[in-house]
Amino acid sequence: MDLTSSSGGGGDPRQIEETKPLLGGDVPAPEGTKMGAVPCRRALLLCNGMRYKLLQEGDIQVCVIRHPRTFLSKILTSKFLRRWEPHHLTLADNSLASATPTGYMENSVSYSAIEDVQLLSWENAPKYCLQLTVPGGTVLLQAANSYLRDQWFHSLQWKKKIYKYKKVLSNPSRWEVVLKEIRTLVDMALTSPLQDDSINQAPLEIVSKLLSEAIAPLLENNHPPPDLCEFFCKHCRERPRSMVVIEVFTPVVQRILKHNMDFGKCPRLRLFTQEYILALNELNAGMEVVKKFVQSMHGPTGHCPHPRVLPNLVAVCLAAIYSCYEEFINSRDNSPSLKEIRNGCQQPCDRKPTLPLRLLHPSPDLVSQEATLSEARLKSVVVASSEIHVEVEHTSTAKPALTASAGNDSEPNLIDCLMVSPACSTMSIELGPQADRTLGCYVEILKLLSDYDDWRPSLASLLQPIPFPKEALAHEKFTKELKYVIQRFAEDPRQEVHSCLLSVRAGKDGWFQLYSPGGVACDDDGELFASMVHILMGSCYKTKKFLLSLAENKLGPCMLLALRGNQTMVEILCLMLEYNIIDNNDTQLQIISTLESTGVGKRMYEQLCDRQRELKELQRKGGPTRLTLPSKSTDADLARLLSSGSFGNLENLSLAFTNVTSACAEHLIKLPSLKQLNLWSTQFGDAGLRLLSEHLTMLQVLNLCETPVTDAGLLALSSMKSLCSLNMNSTKLSADTYEDLKAKLPNLKEVDVRYTEAW
């Protein structure tokens, strides 16, 4: 566009600065005191409230003038100005380039070569121009209107400054200078009239690159301090898809998890790890990225080489799950119980004075009275710090019914209070979207941890005390998802794993109670409960004690499942009859009726009756006191021999060098007078030892030399208090088990542990 019509007015120039100097230095004003082209007098730094979108490319007129800087005013005020060229310019990261690199824009103009950017206008013929000062000349850009000119002006300034910041901060010399420049960069982003996502992203990318190149090497061998952890957490929350999360934070989190870490003293490290995992979950692949991270922490081998990874990961998971229910926890009134949360909580203003709850298992009569008497209505349950109370609106007629049904004075346990009362309306816990995503992420991590064979024992031990808030246990979604972990524990053949399904101590409930019929988490009509009973009965050497516990607390569910044909429950009821666990005659008759109601139950009960007849015949007094089976005898041979006559007086039995296995234990336990048993060089194993320890409590001498028994079976011998001689030569005895047996067997005088770990 021709500029010859411009008049040559000679007003004093007033140059407009871009902003404050980039690095604190002063930018000298251009030389020349008079020029016809005067900078635009309108201040552009948000004075008029205008907002612009960051330009990446666009069409504009270009004119380039090669001149010494001292002659600039004369050239601009002359009657003649060179031609203008139309170009489609692109504002790249490093330079200003044309889509058609010819003429004035044959070569791109680097941002580092642009010394100054100003607005220009002619007094008599205003033109919407920008002046770019470059070494040896000037580049003039002419836009179609003032708004487009201002948009180019701010976009060029932004690109130029970001380029310089990247260059300066890429090689930091002093940290105080770096910190000052970062602050200036942030202020520039916050005050820029440009509105674009990249305006805030560009400073974050610079800081991220600075972290990856400058700070990451320091964090490889050191934990980040609390303030830096707080910044990292904020970065993970606000920019979860940033590459710095993967490139910088991954080795830092790996170091945190691999080393001995006390999160109680360093809670910010735990929070940072938690936010990092949530950031991974926000990526496109979602949980797949989280799973790959956990797999990388475990390592490619079957055994994780870092013993601190699992407990640290579990600690992070527990803290994250707790945070999901923090709103419910903080809003508690008098510490409501799980039943109150799940079934609906009464408003605090309506509460009555509390009445101690002593009723653990209501009788059917009481339940019917509650259904018919409107005077007695269960309102809510409140868990106080020291005891559990139930609030009941009652009259003089309802009170005796409650007091008369109170079975004992012991306090109820947690799971008993979780029994859903039909008089209460159901209330489900609903989490917010973010809490729901957090819960889903960390429950999936617990599932993944339970899939590793080497981690499963420690995970079961860590979760055995049920370290979750009661609000989580009342949340159906949580218990349903966590059921996978409990199933993995129940399916594991190792006793150290599935024994963690039981409570840590008497009077405290465990996962076994939580997922049993009537428990708050049971949603499968007792299928998981039956599988847990099966595995526990198959390995638990305290069979009678376990059966007594089932008879006291879970007899009803066992009978119900047996009535539906569950084989495990049928076996349990048969064992209760065989071991005389049930004293009440009516209950025994009910169990017999339950067994005879199904085909499998009827068959097992008939076998039980046959065994009882054989047992009575076998235990009659008489027969030899010593017996030695020939070499190579089998379990079947022993069974035929013991069924041929009376062995009530048998005290010494030698099965040495025979082919008997643990299966013969069911015949050995029928010898009431047995005091000495020789199993030298047989295939008698752990299962047989556990059965012997339950029944042959009078055994005094036991020879297990060269048998395949391990610690799992040898530990069962701790209940045989009469043992005075024990041969464990050439077995898989460990030193710890040996010390445990010595402490628990006070009469043990002769012990042979040669060729074992304890030797």
Side-chain angles (χ1 to χ4, degrees):
M1 182 175 293
D2 190 10
L3 296 180
T4 55
S5 61
S6 301
S7 61
D12 294 334
R14 289 184 292 176
Q15 305 230 355
I16 297 179
E17 298 180 359
E18 298 175 50
T19 56
K20 295 181 180 179
L22 181 66
L23 298 178
D26 294 328
V27 178
E31 298 181 9
T33 57
K34 292 184 179 182
M35 57 185 294
V38 182
C40 182
R41 300 177 182 236
R42 180 166 57 93
L44 296 173
L45 296 179
L46 298 178
C47 64
N48 57 358
M50 296 292 289
R51 296 292 185 270
Y52 309 92
K53 183 174 178 58
L54 178 66
L55 278 176
Q56 301 295 340
E57 58 182 333
D59 296 324
I60 199 167
Q61 299 287 329
V62 180
C63 180
V64 177
I65 305 171
R66 304 294 178 185
H67 62 85
R69 184 173 299 177
T70 54
F71 298 120
L72 174 61
S73 59
K74 294 182 179 181
I75 295 174
L76 291 177
T77 56
S78 66
K79 296 291 183 181
F80 175 78
L81 196 61
R82 295 187 181 186
R83 72 186 183 280
W84 292 84
E85 294 179 355
H87 282 274
H88 185 82
L89 300 185
T90 300
L91 284 77
D93 292 336
N94 303 323
S95 61
L96 182 66
S98 174
T100 55
T102 57
Y104 293 141
M105 297 302 298
E106 182 177 0
N107 298 316
S108 60
V109 181
S110 174
Y111 295 137
S112 60
I114 300 176
E115 299 174 0
D116 195 12
V117 179
Q118 295 187 40
L119 299 173
L120 292 177
S121 65
W122 281 263
E123 292 181 355
N124 296 332
K127 304 297 179 185
Y128 309 114
C129 293
L130 296 178
Q131 174 188 331
L132 278 60
T133 303
V134 296
T138 296
V139 178
L140 298 177
L141 304 179
Q142 184 177 216
N145 53 59
S146 61
Y147 181 86
L148 189 59
R149 176 201 60 189
D150 295 349
Q151 191 176 15
W152 275 95
F153 172 76
H154 291 298
S155 298
L156 273 169
Q157 278 191 328
W158 175 261
K159 290 284 187 177
K160 178 174 177 292
K161 291 177 182 178
I162 288 297
Y163 172 79
K164 289 186 177 181
Y165 272 113
K166 288 181 178 179
K167 187 175 181 181
V168 171
L169 295 178
S170 62
N171 297 305
S173 56
R174 292 183 303 169
W175 283 109
E176 58 271 16
V177 175
V178 172
L179 183 60
K180 180 180 178 181
E181 295 307 321
I182 290 177
R183 287 174 178 170
T184 307
L185 174 62
V186 172
D187 291 339
M188 183 185 72
L190 295 177
T191 58
S192 174
L194 295 171
Q195 287 193 336
D196 193 90
D197 292 340
S198 61
I199 299 303
N200 292 324
Q201 294 295 333
L204 289 173
E205 290 175 0
I206 293 175
V207 174
S208 298
K209 186 177 180 181
L210 186 64
L211 287 173
S212 60
E213 295 181 355
I215 300 180
L218 297 175
L219 296 177
E220 289 181 359
N221 299 313
N222 301 278
H223 294 315
D227 292 342
L228 195 56
C229 277
E230 190 171 346
F231 170 76
F232 287 171
C233 290
K234 186 176 181 181
H235 189 89
C236 288
R237 285 191 297 267
E238 296 181 355
R239 299 194 69 235
R241 297 175 180 268
S242 169
M243 287 307 297
V244 74
V245 173
I246 301 294
E247 297 176 356
V248 181
F249 293 166
T250 297
V252 179
V253 174
Q254 287 176 337
R255 173 179 171 78
I256 292 173
L257 293 176
K258 288 179 181 179
H259 289 74
N260 192 7
M261 180 56 55
D262 185 356
F263 285 136
K265 295 181 179 179
C266 307
R268 284 187 174 89
L269 289 176
R270 182 185 62 199
L271 182 61
F272 166 48
T273 306
Q274 176 182 332
E275 295 291 349
Y276 166 80
I277 294 176
L278 290 176
L280 295 184
N281 193 41
E282 293 295 327
L283 299 177
N284 292 334
M287 274 308 301
E288 292 301 320
V289 180
V290 176
K291 289 180 180 179
K292 288 181 180 179
F293 171 73
V294 175
Q295 291 169 359
S296 70
M297 296 306 304
H298 179 275
T301 61
H303 187 79
C304 179
H306 307 288
R308 290 300 307 169
V309 168
L310 177 67
N312 285 339
L313 269 175
V314 173
V316 172
C317 290
L318 296 181
I321 293 173
Y322 182 90
S323 68
C324 296
Y325 301 93
E326 203 161 8
E327 180 180 352
F328 294 93
I329 296 171
N330 293 337
S331 62
R332 288 179 186 171
D333 178 68
N334 292 332
S335 183
S337 70
L338 280 177
K339 182 180 179 181
E340 184 176 10
I341 296 170
R342 196 163 217 184
N343 299 329
C345 179
Q346 183 185 5
Q347 293 300 323
C349 58
D350 296 330
R351 296 186 182 277
K352 304 293 182 182
T354 56
L355 179 71
L357 174 64
R358 302 298 182 185
L359 182 62
L360 297 187
H361 301 283
S363 64
D365 293 337
L366 177 58
V367 175
S368 62
Q369 289 179 26
E370 288 183 344
T372 57
L373 294 178
S374 60
E375 292 82 4
R377 181 170 57 90
L378 184 62
K379 299 196 72 175
S380 63
V381 177
V382 179
V383 178
S385 58
S386 59
E387 61 178 349
I388 300 179
H389 295 85
V390 61
E391 297 175 3
V392 180
E393 237 182 30
H394 58 278
T395 63
S396 58
T397 58
K399 184 175 181 180
L402 285 173
T403 56
S405 301
N408 52 57
D409 293 335
S410 62
E411 292 296 340
N413 56 32
L414 175 64
I415 305 303
D416 289 323
C417 292
L418 294 180
M419 299 293 289
V420 178
S421 171
C424 298
S425 59
T426 302
M427 183 191 74
S428 60
I429 291 181
E430 295 292 339
L431 299 180
Q434 182 58 39
D436 194 65
R437 286 194 296 271
T438 301
L439 179 67
C441 174
Y442 282 98
V443 172
E444 284 295 327
I445 292 178
L446 290 178
K447 290 181 181 180
L448 184 60
L449 298 180
S450 68
D451 286 334
Y452 288 95
D453 290 339
D454 60 320
W455 275 354
R456 201 175 298 129
S458 297
L459 178 63
S461 177
L462 291 170
L463 298 185
Q464 185 179 14
I466 310 185
F468 302 102
K470 51 191 176 184
E471 285 78 7
L473 301 178
H475 190 197
E476 184 177 358
K477 179 179 179 180
F478 172 74
T479 53
K480 186 175 182 179
E481 292 294 325
L482 195 67
K483 183 179 177 180
Y484 177 86
V485 179
I486 307 305
Q487 285 177 326
R488 298 294 287 161
F489 294 163
E491 295 167 357
D492 196 290
R494 292 168 291 186
Q495 183 182 347
E496 59 180 322
V497 177
H498 53 247
S499 63
C500 291
L501 296 171
L502 300 172
S503 59
V504 291
R505 62 179 182 273
K508 183 176 176 61
D509 294 306
W511 295 112
F512 177 75
Q513 289 82 7
L514 198 68
Y515 281 90
S516 63
V520 67
C522 182
D523 61 353
D524 57 2
D525 293 330
E527 292 182 9
L528 178 58
F529 170 71
S531 64
M532 288 192 289
V533 171
H534 177 76
I535 191 68
L536 289 170
M537 282 297 300
S539 64
C540 181
Y541 59 84
K542 296 181 180 179
T543 306
K544 279 189 175 180
K545 184 177 180 181
F546 184 62
L547 288 174
L548 281 170
S549 175
L550 287 178
E552 290 177 2
N553 302 311
K554 300 299 176 184
L555 182 58
C558 290
M559 293 176 64
L560 178 62
L561 292 174
L563 193 63
R564 295 175 179 175
N566 186 282
Q567 186 170 348
T568 299
M569 292 302 134
V570 170
E571 293 176 358
I572 291 295
L573 294 182
C574 289
L575 287 174
M576 288 181 180
L577 293 177
E578 185 173 359
Y579 292 169
N580 294 320
I581 299 297
I582 307 298
D583 295 330
N584 187 281
N585 291 333
D586 292 336
T587 305
Q588 289 181 353
L589 292 174
Q590 186 177 354
I591 290 177
I592 293 172
S593 300
T594 302
L595 292 173
E596 291 181 337
S597 64
T598 61
V600 62
K602 188 175 183 179
R603 184 175 64 255
M604 288 189 180
Y605 179 64
E606 290 174 352
Q607 294 174 356
L608 170 63
C609 293
D610 292 339
R611 288 198 305 270
Q612 293 287 0
R613 283 192 292 270
E614 293 175 1
L615 179 61
K616 291 179 181 179
E617 192 69 27
L618 187 65
Q619 290 182 347
R620 285 201 311 250
K621 292 295 181 181
T625 59
R626 300 176 61 90
L627 183 65
T628 301
L629 252 68
S631 176
K632 307 300 182 180
S633 297
T634 64
D635 296 332
D637 298 328
L638 177 63
R640 281 193 295 269
L641 178 63
L642 294 180
S643 63
S644 63
S646 175
F647 291 91
N649 290 335
L650 188 62
E651 296 181 356
N652 189 320
L653 176 61
S654 176
L655 302 176
F657 306 105
T658 64
N659 293 333
V660 297
T661 66
S662 295
C664 74
E666 63 180 63
H667 304 291
L668 298 179
I669 62 176
K670 301 173 184 177
L671 303 174
S673 303
L674 193 62
K675 296 181 179 178
Q676 300 180 32
L677 179 60
N678 188 351
L679 296 169
W680 188 359
S681 191
T682 65
Q683 293 302 308
F684 197 88
D686 294 337
L689 274 187
R690 287 192 287 266
L691 192 56
L692 294 183
S693 65
E694 283 291 320
H695 297 270
L696 300 182
T697 56
M698 301 303 295
L699 198 65
Q700 298 176 1
V701 179
L702 180 60
N703 189 344
L704 299 172
C705 180
E706 297 181 6
T707 57
V709 294
T710 65
D711 287 346
L714 292 170
L715 279 172
L717 300 178
S718 60
S719 62
M720 305 177 72
K721 304 299 181 182
S722 299
L723 275 179
C724 56
S725 177
L726 181 59
N727 189 338
M728 297 177 286
N729 188 323
S730 303
T731 63
K732 296 180 180 179
L733 172 72
S734 68
D736 292 339
T737 300
Y738 176 53
E739 295 298 326
D740 188 64
L741 288 175
K742 286 197 302 182
K744 294 180 179 180
L745 297 176
N747 296 322
L748 196 60
K749 298 177 181 178
E750 298 180 3
V751 184
D752 188 349
V753 294
R754 290 175 296 173
Y755 307 108
T756 66
E757 184 182 317
W759 188 32

